[in-house]
Amino acid sequence: MPDRGGSPSGPRVRVGRPSRRARTLLMTLGVLAVLAMAFVMFAGFWTDWLWYRSVKYSSVFTTTLWTKIGLFAVFGLLMGLAVGFNIWLAYRLRPPLSAMSAEQQSLDRYRMGVAPFKKWVLLAVTVLVALIAGASASGQWRTWLMWVNGVKFGQKDPQFDLDVAFYAFDLPWYRFLLAFGFAAAVLSLIAAALTHYLYGGLRISSPGARATAAATGHLSVLLGVFVSLKAVAYWLDRYGLAVKSSDFKATGNWTGLRYVDANAYLPAKTILFCIAVICAVLFFATLWRRTWQLPVIGFGLMVLSAILIGGLYPAIVQKFQVQPNEQAKEAPYIQKNIDATRKAYAIDGTKPENYSGKSTVKSKDQLRTDADTAASYRVLDPNIVSPTFQQLEQKRKYYQFPTTLDVDRYQGKDTVVGLRELNIKGIPKRNWINDHFTYTHGYGAIMAAGTQTDANGSPVFTESGLPTTGDVGTYQQRIYYGEKTDQYSIVGGPQKELDYEENGEKTTSYKEKSGVSLSGAFNRAAYAVAFSEPQILYSGAIGEGSRILYNRTPKERVEAVAPWLTIDGDAYPAVVDGRIQWIVDAYTTTNGYPYASRTTLGDTTADSLTVGNQQRAVVAQQNQVNYIRNSVKATVDAYDGTVNLYQWDTQDPVLKTWMKAFPDTVKAKSEIKGDLMAHLRYPQDMFKVQRELLTRYHVTDPAQFYSGSDAWQVPDDPTNKDGNAVPPYYLSMKMPGDSAQRFSLTTTFTPNGRPNLGAFMAVDADATSKEYGRLKLLKVTEEVPGPAQVQSKLNSLPDVAQFVRDMRGADSDIQYGNLLTVPLDGGFLYVEPVYAQGRNALYPLLKKVAVSYVDADQPDGDTTKDTTVFEDNLTEALNAVFGVEGPTEPTTPPKDGTTPPPATSNDAALKSAIADAQKAYDAGEAALQKGDWTAYGKAQEDLQDALQRAADAGAKLKTTGASG
């Protein structure tokens, strides 16, 4: 019989509950999914803990973690309780009967919908605001630690006579508490108002009173709390004026009180504080009066007062009292700003010394003699010769040198240093095993004399080869941690590592305890998840003894173990006690030093070397600061990654504060060994910050500072066309009054908007010197050509024009090296190496040296003034610039031991070089077919050498032909 409902006939299928086996399977899958998600979230935490434990800085991890957890819990709980309590209280204060109106009847549906879940809604809202507030508060861990561990500066601000620590450590925490209080008051007010509206305590369109007495009292108290917090804000704003930044047209960036702040804003804030207190009392009084009339009037008066007293009155004072006589009115405050800024940036002991720029020596022979002892002129430019190091000492494609090399001192001589680091992109065959197991480290420190080159213009290496040999002696040459090492490696296990290739392949296995052990399955699983690399979990290349190395760049490691430090942009290597140590300068900073003008570290430390090179950029915890100290010297062992932090500035209260927060993380200065001390130097970024401030703050007279008549600027680098600031240069030299050369960091200044030389500054950069950190500033009182003018004159010399034509004819590029400036007998000596790089040559060679002796105009018409020459080497250039006969510079034979061909045999030299190039090319092709990479690399070196000799001989032939 057909079904009347229209459904097909037949037995009905009953859909029942899943079987017990299916339910068990679903439950198991659900539990596994939850555990997997929990493990993914846990993996990052666990691997971080393992890494900090491996570098023996687990206390940094735990202190930071527990501080964040504590702040999250306390402030999350406070916010949740505040909002939840006010929602609950509003619900308890609801009227027993709602008014019979269309508004209330429409709300009945929402009340009925919420009624069964009101506890869950309350819990959900409370938890949500608690999580948001807790997460925000946990980000204030630095502020909390500085407040609770703050050390006195022993210096007081000139306005309120409070210790600087109040502004640096206390005020930021009070402002956070105030902001948190405002957030809690506003959220509680909104939540209470919505609850009162939902349950009839507040009405918009219903007849009768708009609010019940209970709702009026509740909301008035919350408004009273808000206004009370506003009163506290007005009071703190008074102190905030001492660290307030503003734009002062006379000086640009300004920090601290000015006349209008001290005489208008400060009293205005005090008056507004009193009005806010009275207004808050009126709101609290509604608990008894049950009316908003007086509080609303009081609140309106407070707003009006804020406009009139806090805004209009200061504008009137500025317009009619300050502007007509601004210099006189602002003078006392400018003086406070000058004093505080100079002290905050440690330039308060730097006073300009007049330096006429006029030669004090008339004898050319004496000038020439003095020039030899004035400086160790570094003709090897570390910013240019990296490709030369790369070509001559790379040895294998999987090695590399940094773009900019470093300058250090070995055996008392300025030395250019570069580490032969691993280049993962140069591995012949890329795969996971090769990338992370086989090719794990670089090998050797390559060094060259900074003051000389060989006859070909190549560096004279004092440490070279693979493994390296030279002046340094025996040391651990393997480089597992370096500036270019940004990938992880797994070492010490079953898989052997390639050590180096020289007369056969050498292998090694890492024996140190650096890194994190992967012997256990749990750690392997954690890293497989954290690095998104499942092969870590099951690869047979990982076994007993395997350790994973990561966070391998020096700056990255120091920043991780000391997250409260700002890291200098230039970590540099040094061979210390038989190990390669990366030396990292680190700073403590604050932006809460009263009256001290702020600077932006990212902008101040930028120059022609840092633009486009993030590896040389400062790692700033606070980009805007108005206090900085080079308080920590850190080292990172290139072999085992050990990080050591040494207290350098023993008086810095910011460092003392962090040492209280993280005890036993920073070692005493006395623990720095003598061999390490010999390689410590004054940091570049600190020097760049100080020189930028000294462009204005070398002036200590308020009237002169206000006028800006003696403002300077850091000149653009004249050796390139990018328009970026000239970098400071390390150089061993004598400043006027010194009896011997000092390893120094130097810079020049030009008057604002003018190209002539305005000043010259050098700092004693040798950490072993008793006068380390002495800034000596020479203010040039006469008209002397600046770097750009000297470069322009050099470019206009006929010899330079001929050289450029010859090089371009030989298809070579010209590169100007660092333009060094040295004070000499009242004038200035400029020295600039000039490099050429042929089209077929992969690296630049030193070809010429330009020297200019600039001297202010003198009535006797001395011919030594403003002389620029362009010669084959430094000795000849110094002889020529002073017009004296002297010995020629002793030439160092080329690296291959050959003797450069004489000028009369250039044609034969060219033919010989071409033949050698063809021979090397054929040898390379033969080696390539056999797969002999060692022979192929040797052939490529021979080919490049032959091509360079051919280019040199061709250029000399062309010069000879032109002169003939």
Side-chain angles (χ1 to χ4, degrees):
M1 184 174 178
D3 182 43
R4 294 184 179 181
S7 61
S9 61
R12 298 184 178 183
V13 179
R14 182 180 178 185
V15 180
R17 297 176 62 191
S19 65
R20 178 176 296 178
R21 179 178 297 176
R23 292 199 304 272
T24 302
L25 179 61
L26 290 173
M27 185 176 296
T28 302
L29 291 175
V31 170
L32 289 176
V34 171
L35 290 176
M37 288 187 291
F39 185 76
V40 168
M41 292 186 290
F42 176 74
F45 165 81
W46 181 245
T47 54
D48 284 347
W49 160 248
L50 291 175
W51 186 86
Y52 275 96
R53 190 175 64 177
S54 73
V55 294
K56 298 179 175 57
Y57 281 88
S58 55
S59 63
V60 174
F61 179 83
T62 54
T63 299
T64 304
L65 177 65
W66 286 115
T67 302
K68 290 179 178 180
I69 291 175
L71 291 172
F72 180 92
V74 170
F75 287 94
L77 182 63
L78 288 175
M79 183 66 77
L81 287 176
V83 175
F85 172 76
N86 280 286
I87 293 175
W88 172 83
L89 184 60
Y91 175 77
R92 289 294 303 271
L93 296 176
R94 69 190 185 281
L97 296 174
S98 58
M100 297 302 295
S101 65
E103 178 187 23
Q104 293 302 313
Q105 288 177 2
S106 65
L107 289 173
D108 278 339
R109 291 179 297 170
Y110 297 104
R111 286 193 284 264
M112 293 175 63
V114 170
F117 312 104
K118 58 180 181 288
K119 292 183 179 179
W120 291 106
V121 171
L122 175 62
L123 181 62
V125 172
T126 301
V127 170
L128 179 62
V129 297
L131 290 175
I132 295 173
S136 176
S138 66
Q140 298 293 323
W141 64 272
R142 288 184 179 87
T143 308
W144 160 259
L145 288 176
M146 293 182 79
W147 177 69
V148 76
N149 295 288
V151 172
K152 298 293 185 182
F153 274 68
Q155 304 165 18
K156 296 186 176 182
D157 79 283
Q159 182 66 43
F160 301 102
D161 201 35
L162 295 174
D163 192 274
V164 172
F166 171 80
Y167 302 94
F169 306 141
D170 299 345
L171 190 59
W173 178 249
Y174 297 153
R175 282 176 164 168
F176 163 71
L177 292 178
L178 186 63
F180 178 83
F182 273 123
V186 170
L187 289 176
S188 297
L189 183 62
I190 293 172
L194 289 175
T195 305
H196 280 300
Y197 176 69
L198 181 63
Y199 287 97
L202 290 178
R203 307 181 186 95
I204 297 176
S205 58
S206 299
R210 299 296 185 196
T212 63
T216 299
H218 184 195
L219 296 179
S220 294
V221 169
L222 291 176
L223 286 170
V225 171
F226 178 86
V227 177
S228 298
L229 292 172
K230 187 62 180 173
V232 176
Y234 281 134
W235 189 256
L236 287 182
D237 284 347
R238 299 168 68 256
Y239 303 109
L241 292 172
V243 290
K244 183 193 74 171
S245 287
S246 60
D247 185 27
F248 189 18
K249 66 181 181 181
T251 59
N253 179 33
W254 175 275
T255 301
L257 287 85
R258 288 155 50 193
Y259 181 90
V260 69
D261 297 312
N263 295 277
Y265 281 111
L266 187 58
K269 296 293 183 183
T270 305
I271 294 171
L272 289 172
F273 164 77
C274 296
I275 294 173
V277 169
I278 295 171
C279 186
V281 171
L282 292 176
F283 273 108
F284 290 133
T286 56
L287 286 173
W288 296 274
R289 292 180 55 84
R290 302 295 183 179
T291 176
W292 279 351
Q293 184 176 6
L294 285 178
V296 169
I297 293 173
F299 188 78
L301 289 174
M302 187 181 74
V303 173
L304 182 62
S305 299
I307 296 172
L308 296 177
I309 302 175
L312 184 59
Y313 173 62
I316 293 173
V317 171
Q318 178 69 25
K319 180 70 174 177
F320 295 102
Q321 289 191 35
V322 178
Q323 287 186 6
N325 193 18
E326 189 171 52
Q327 179 177 317
K329 293 289 187 183
E330 300 289 9
Y333 305 97
I334 293 176
Q335 188 65 63
K336 294 175 184 178
N337 177 266
I338 292 172
D339 294 341
T341 302
R342 288 173 60 87
K343 188 172 292 185
Y345 291 95
I347 56 177
D348 49 322
T350 306
K351 296 180 180 179
E353 302 176 16
N354 287 337
Y355 188 83
S356 67
K358 293 181 179 181
S359 177
T360 57
V361 176
K362 302 303 180 184
S363 168
K364 298 175 183 179
D365 291 330
Q366 185 63 49
L367 281 170
R368 178 64 183 87
T369 302
D370 292 345
D372 281 336
T373 59
S376 298
Y377 306 98
R378 185 172 37 74
V379 293
L380 199 66
D381 186 353
N383 312 314
I384 288 182
V385 298
S386 178
T388 310
F389 274 52
Q390 189 84 357
Q391 185 63 23
L392 298 179
E393 289 295 330
Q394 180 189 25
K395 303 301 183 183
R396 298 293 178 267
K397 287 185 67 177
Y398 48 81
Y399 291 134
Q400 64 181 327
F401 291 92
T403 305
T404 299
L405 305 178
D406 291 291
V407 178
D408 202 348
R409 294 144 294 150
Y410 287 87
Q411 299 176 352
K413 298 178 182 179
D414 292 0
T415 304
V416 176
V417 184
L419 296 194
R420 189 190 283 123
E421 294 191 45
L422 180 66
N423 177 17
I424 200 74
K425 296 179 182 178
I427 295 176
K429 186 177 181 181
R430 298 289 304 276
N431 54 55
W432 189 64
I433 293 295
N434 277 347
D435 286 0
H436 300 289
F437 292 81
T438 305
Y439 296 87
T440 60
H441 59 279
Y443 210 98
I446 306 302
M447 305 180 187
T451 57
Q452 62 183 126
T453 60
D454 69 16
N456 283 339
S458 297
V460 176
F461 290 105
T462 58
E463 188 76 23
S464 61
L466 182 65
T468 70
T469 57
D471 296 344
V472 174
T474 304
Y475 66 101
Q476 173 56 260
Q477 299 193 20
R478 297 176 183 88
I479 303 164
Y480 283 87
Y481 296 87
E483 289 183 304
K484 299 288 187 180
T485 315
D486 52 10
Q487 78 285 350
Y488 71 87
S489 290
I490 299 176
V491 298
Q495 182 70 38
K496 290 290 185 180
E497 309 164 48
L498 176 65
D499 206 20
Y500 60 88
E501 291 180 272
E502 187 74 6
N503 301 322
E505 183 178 291
K506 308 291 184 181
T507 60
T508 188
S509 185
Y510 193 67
K511 299 302 182 184
E512 293 290 336
K513 297 300 182 182
S514 178
V516 178
S517 173
L518 292 180
S519 299
F522 187 82
N523 283 3
R524 292 174 66 172
Y527 278 100
V529 171
F531 287 9
S532 300
E533 186 52 76
Q535 292 185 82
I536 294 177
L537 184 60
Y538 55 78
S539 174
I542 303 175
E544 188 66 30
S546 291
R547 309 185 74 83
I548 185 168
L549 313 180
Y550 62 104
N551 289 349
R552 297 168 72 182
T553 67
K555 290 195 293 184
E556 190 176 29
R557 292 178 79 78
V558 174
E559 184 189 17
V561 303
W564 33 272
L565 289 174
T566 291
I567 312 301
D568 189 90
D570 183 28
Y572 61 98
V575 178
V576 178
D577 293 328
R579 309 277 285 212
I580 298 175
Q581 298 283 350
W582 288 100
I583 299 175
V584 184
D585 284 287
Y587 311 104
T588 45
T589 61
T590 180
N591 64 357
Y593 197 100
Y595 272 105
S597 288
R598 291 184 172 88
T599 188
T600 303
L601 289 179
D603 297 336
T604 305
T605 57
D607 58 33
S608 61
L609 298 182
T610 63
V611 175
N613 186 355
Q614 286 302 310
Q615 281 198 327
R616 293 184 67 88
V618 64
V619 182
Q621 296 299 334
Q622 289 179 304
N623 198 25
Q624 271 234 328
V625 303
N626 66 354
Y627 172 93
I628 185 170
R629 289 292 186 274
N630 176 213
S631 54
V632 171
K633 301 284 188 181
T635 62
V636 177
D637 192 293
Y639 182 58
D640 63 18
T642 300
V643 182
N644 286 309
L645 306 176
Y646 296 99
Q647 183 183 15
W648 186 249
D649 189 332
T650 57
Q651 304 301 316
D652 177 32
V654 181
L655 177 60
K656 291 179 180 179
T657 295
W658 286 118
M659 289 175 68
K660 281 182 63 180
F662 296 96
D664 302 323
T665 57
V666 180
K667 297 181 178 181
K669 186 176 183 178
S670 58
E671 294 189 41
I672 300 178
K673 296 181 180 179
D675 198 12
L676 173 60
M677 184 71 78
H679 293 282
L680 299 182
R681 67 189 192 188
Y682 201 83
Q684 287 181 318
D685 285 337
M686 180 77 177
F687 186 71
K688 285 189 279 189
V689 169
Q690 290 174 320
R691 75 171 179 177
E692 182 63 33
L693 269 296
L694 281 168
T695 58
R696 291 177 294 149
Y697 286 93
H698 67 277
V699 176
T700 56
D701 178 68
Q704 190 179 10
F705 188 90
Y706 176 87
S707 69
S709 59
D710 196 24
W712 299 335
Q713 64 185 22
V714 177
D716 293 338
D717 189 345
T719 64
N720 64 49
K721 300 178 181 179
D722 296 335
N724 298 307
V726 62
Y729 296 123
Y730 286 106
L731 182 69
S732 291
M733 56 163 290
K734 285 196 301 186
M735 286 289 279
D738 289 346
S739 59
Q741 293 182 14
R742 300 173 184 268
F743 185 68
S744 305
L745 189 56
T746 67
T747 191
T748 54
F749 299 95
T750 57
N752 203 6
R754 298 187 61 199
N756 58 289
L757 190 63
F760 176 84
M761 185 170 73
V763 63
D764 188 338
D766 184 355
T768 63
S769 170
K770 293 182 179 179
E771 295 192 5
Y772 169 85
R774 179 201 66 176
L775 287 164
K776 199 162 185 178
L777 182 60
L778 305 180
K779 181 181 179 181
V780 182
T781 58
E782 300 288 342
E783 191 83 7
V784 172
Q789 292 172 309
V790 170
Q791 186 69 47
S792 178
K793 182 171 182 180
L794 171 65
N795 295 340
S796 67
L797 291 178
D799 290 347
V800 175
Q802 182 64 45
F803 174 75
V804 171
R805 284 194 295 270
D806 291 342
M807 290 297 101
R808 288 178 178 172
D811 206 9
S812 297
D813 293 328
I814 308 299
Q815 296 185 52
Y816 292 103
N818 38 218
L819 181 57
L820 305 175
T821 308
V822 176
L824 176 63
D825 292 334
F828 286 95
L829 191 68
Y830 289 95
V831 176
E832 181 176 34
V834 180
Y835 294 80
Q837 180 173 349
R839 181 178 182 182
N840 295 320
L842 299 181
Y843 56 94
L845 296 170
L846 179 68
K847 292 300 179 184
K848 294 283 186 177
V849 176
V851 172
S852 180
Y853 183 68
V854 295
D855 184 10
D857 290 337
Q858 297 181 19
D860 58 4
D862 193 315
T863 57
T864 60
K865 62 174 180 290
D866 196 8
T867 304
T868 302
V869 299
F870 190 66
E871 301 294 337
D872 289 337
N873 56 58
L874 178 61
T875 301
E876 294 177 11
L878 290 174
N879 292 341
V881 79
F882 297 115
V884 299
E885 296 293 333
T888 59
E889 185 171 275
T891 58
T892 303
K895 189 174 184 293
D896 57 8
T898 62
T899 302
T904 57
S905 61
N906 286 323
D907 186 43
L910 178 60
K911 292 178 181 178
S912 175
I914 293 174
D916 290 343
Q918 183 63 47
K919 187 186 298 183
Y921 177 82
D922 294 339
E925 290 298 303
L928 187 62
Q929 292 178 1
K930 295 178 182 179
D932 188 347
W933 295 106
T934 302
Y936 179 75
K938 179 67 169 59
Q940 291 303 302
E941 292 179 9
D942 294 341
L943 176 61
Q944 295 303 327
D945 179 72
L947 291 173
Q948 183 60 47
R949 286 191 284 116
D952 294 343
K956 291 179 180 179
L957 256 179
K958 187 160 186 177
T959 303
T960 305
S963 62

